């Protein structure tokens, strides 16, 4: 999307704040703190919070997308622990289904309203103990371009519908604070 902005194929993008390059203005709308996702039957599913050190001893099912992968692995590096990567997938639904079936845990920032994986098994969100950099969802535009009235109207619309209190299609992150 950011390349599409630079090529003037689009005027605005709703995206995450991962690796925003120079020349792009990013206006944050909501913070998405990281959390662990485990199977309903996993012992950590009943914990109020879990540390990255405790998770690192368990098998990780990694969401293997550019930038997301680096973001999640950097959380472990900051804590000085190395996760045991059991498997990787670029597909969020595959990761959730593997977790729901007991192959390991994953880390996530998005909070779908459903706690069901594709096969109908449940996953449980467990907050991470400690302070961890959240991903932020926001609006990206080219810094040097004058914003059109249409883009300004779209930005107003986004600010009125996306915030820490409300994210369409997701549980709001403030519910876990």
């Amino acid at each position: 999307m950011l390349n599409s902005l630079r090529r003037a194929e689009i005027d605005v993008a709703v995206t995450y704040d991962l690796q925003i390059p120079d020349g792009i203005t990013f206006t944050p709308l909501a913070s998405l703190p990281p959390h662990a996702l485990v199977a309903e039957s996993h012992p950590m599913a009943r914990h109020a919070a879990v540390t990255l050190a405790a998770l690192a001893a368990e098998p990780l099912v990694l969401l293997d997308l550019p930038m997301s992968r680096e973001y999640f692995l950097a959380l472990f590096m900051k804590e000085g622990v190395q996760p045991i990567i059991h498997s990787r997938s670029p597909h969020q639904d595959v990761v959730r289904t593997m977790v729901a079936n007991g192959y390991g845990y994953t880390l996530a920032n998005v909070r779908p309203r459903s706690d069901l994986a594709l096969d109908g098994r449940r996953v449980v969100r467990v907050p991470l103990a400690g302070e961890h950099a959240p991903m932020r969802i926001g609006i990206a535009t080219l810094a040097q371009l004058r914003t059109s009235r249409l883009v300004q109207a779209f930005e107003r619309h986004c600010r009125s519908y996306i915030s820490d209190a409300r994210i369409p299609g997701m549980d709001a992150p403030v519910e876990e604070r």
Side-chain angles (χ1 to χ4, degrees), residues 82-131:
Q82 180 76 29
I84 301 167
I85 300 174
H86 173 274
S87 49
R88 303 167 177 256
S89 176
H91 306 287
Q92 183 83 31
D93 287 332
V94 170
V95 170
R96 285 173 56 91
T97 302
M98 290 182 73
V99 167
N101 282 273
Y103 287 96
Y105 70 94
T106 194
L107 296 180
N109 296 86
V110 297
R111 293 164 165 71
R113 290 186 185 214
S114 174
D115 62 354
L116 299 178
L118 288 177
D119 64 356
R121 294 181 187 219
R122 292 193 186 286
V123 293
V124 175
R125 283 193 301 263
V126 183
L128 292 181
E131 294 294 318

Side-chain angles (χ1 to χ4, degrees), residues 31-35 49-53 71-72 74-81 107 109 127-135 176-177:
S31 291
L32 300 169
H35 59 274
V50 65
T51 65
L52 285 169
Y71 167 81
F72 292 126
L75 294 173
F76 287 101
M77 285 181 15
K78 183 178 176 237
E79 296 290 312
V81 293
L107 296 180
N109 296 86
L128 292 181
E131 294 294 318
H132 304 285
M135 281 197 327
E176 291 183 4
R177 291 189 191 149

Side-chain angles (χ1 to χ4, degrees), residues 148-165:
S148 70
R149 289 187 316 192
L150 179 61
V151 170
Q152 290 171 4
F154 178 74
E155 288 177 354
R156 279 192 306 275
H157 174 78
C158 288
R159 281 192 299 276
S160 69
Y161 281 94
I162 303 171
S163 69
D164 282 339

